[in-house]
Amino acid sequence: MARRIAAGAAYGGGGIGLLGAAAVGVLLAEVQLAKRHVGGGTAPVPPSADGRYGVAFAGPAEPLRLGLLGDSTAAGQGVRRTGQTPGALLASGLAAVSERPVDLRNVAQPGARSDDLERQVSLLLADPCAVPDVCVIMIGANDVTHRIPATQSVRCLTTAVRRLRTAGAEVVVGTCPDLGTIEPVYQPLRWLARRASRQLAAAQTIGAVEQGGRTVSLGDLLGPEFEANPRELFGPDNYHPSAEGYATAAMAVLPTLCAALGLWPETDRLDGARREDILPVAKAASQAAMEAGTEVTGARAPWALLKHRRRRRLPAATEPDPHPRPEPDGGTATGSTGVPGVAGEGAP
């Protein structure tokens, strides 16, 4: 099914229904019931995380440029502090691994669907002298909930990946999360949402990898862990992740983000002990959609590498420093977290 969706996106096919028509009547009551519960709390407006991270690493090398695109998950809706957003976590982690400052620009929009990626990519590429070195895209949940045809969703994503790759940016896609884990959603809607989410995630992987991007599956990260700890891993509206949930997702994406820039200590060599393999792209995409944090990277067509990179703890939550300030001894300010060049939570 994922291959059919991706092929329809590539060759202009029509929408491929993920749910049978007979299920629509059964779902209507479930959808209305879920709407009464999801969003019962208030999700705060996501804080802006744009700015420079790791200023203590300033040197002759130019700062790395990181772009973030996508929906409310990429924007960090559901948390109140800048350092808790995925953008801040990824920028801080990238700065620590590369030992270079990182300039973050986040153009993600809460509520966005894949058709908004064209606008977001245009914003990032508006200045040809400031093209990001690497971009992270997190998109897909709103496409499922708004019943956007999967072929249309994947077509928009592949176009975005192609534009960014053509401009010279590396691209990492965090694929559609597993919507079957949302606590107020009941059966059979829960099962159907899970099925639709995973099919879209697999199709996104095929499309992104064929355009030269890398993908990391978020479905299972927002699956067993969220299902077992809904009070800890969901935010106050029971829909968006909490700070712990975003940290879990960022820990999965960071190794692939660094590997795309050649900064991760592990190579692309396969490790059989971690069930890594080289598979046809469609099969790799299907397996990745079923397991948390799985990376898919293109090899010689039509093959792809299926990897499970070792995760490392993220640096302490950080805040951006848009104006690095020199210290009296000629050094650069460091934050209170102990991570050079970043200010800790609550720091001025």
Side-chain angles (χ1 to χ4, degrees), residues 56-333:
F57 296 120
E62 288 291 317
L64 291 171
R65 290 186 290 267
L66 169 63
L68 218 65
L69 309 88
D71 54 23
S72 55
T73 303
Q77 189 164 14
V79 296
R80 299 183 183 279
R81 297 191 178 198
T82 296
Q84 297 172 331
T85 62
L89 292 167
L90 291 172
S92 299
L94 181 57
V97 173
S98 66
E99 297 187 347
R100 289 173 61 181
V102 174
D103 288 338
L104 170 67
R105 187 177 182 199
N106 192 334
V107 296
Q109 178 67 41
R113 301 188 287 269
S114 293
D115 57 5
D116 190 53
L117 289 176
E118 180 179 4
R119 179 189 66 84
Q120 296 181 27
V121 171
S122 296
L123 287 174
L124 282 182
L125 300 183
D127 183 357
C129 296
V131 174
D133 296 293
V134 62
C135 293
V136 175
I137 303 175
M138 303 171 76
I139 199 81
N142 294 317
D143 296 67
V144 174
T145 58
H146 289 77
R147 295 184 293 176
I148 304 299
T151 49
Q152 177 183 337
S153 176
V154 174
R155 186 180 302 122
C156 293
L157 175 63
T158 54
T159 299
V161 174
R162 182 168 58 249
R163 288 182 63 192
L164 291 169
R165 293 290 292 132
T166 301
E170 298 290 339
V171 180
V172 176
V173 177
T175 56
C176 182
D178 185 352
L179 297 181
T181 62
I182 299 174
E183 192 181 28
V185 177
Y186 303 105
Q187 298 291 8
L189 182 59
R190 180 188 293 267
W191 180 85
L192 291 167
R194 173 164 291 159
R195 181 170 178 265
S197 302
R198 290 182 175 179
Q199 286 182 353
L200 178 57
Q204 288 177 322
T205 295
I206 296 172
V209 167
E210 289 180 344
Q211 296 300 323
R214 300 182 184 223
T215 65
V216 179
S217 60
L218 299 182
D220 281 351
L221 282 176
L222 309 182
E225 295 181 17
F226 273 40
E227 200 166 14
N229 303 289
R231 294 291 178 256
E232 296 178 12
L233 292 175
F234 278 117
D237 62 352
N238 293 328
Y239 185 81
H240 294 98
S242 66
E244 292 81 0
Y246 281 127
T248 300
M251 284 178 65
V253 173
L254 180 62
T256 301
L257 174 65
C258 295
L261 294 172
L263 300 172
W264 202 243
E266 299 174 26
T267 67
D268 284 340
R269 199 170 354 183
L270 300 178
D271 185 345
R274 296 211 298 271
R275 295 172 293 105
E276 298 181 344
D277 204 351
I278 181 167
L279 300 168
V281 175
K283 188 171 182 179
S286 178
Q287 289 196 18
M290 301 295 291
E291 186 167 353
T294 304
E295 174 189 318
V296 179
T297 304
R300 182 175 299 177
W303 303 92
L305 302 178
L306 186 78
K307 292 191 62 66
H308 302 97
R309 294 189 186 275
R310 299 183 190 277
R311 301 183 203 172
R312 300 188 179 181
R313 292 187 64 83
L314 293 168
T318 63
E319 303 288 344
D321 188 348
H323 303 292
R325 53 193 188 282
E327 292 291 284
D329 61 1
T332 309

Side-chain angles (χ1 to χ4, degrees), residues 1-34:
M1 176 62 79
R3 168 54 73 187
R4 289 175 57 201
I5 294 170
Y11 300 109
I16 298 175
L18 295 174
L19 308 177
V24 173
V26 178
L27 288 179
L28 289 178
E30 293 285 350
V31 169
Q32 294 305 316
L33 184 60

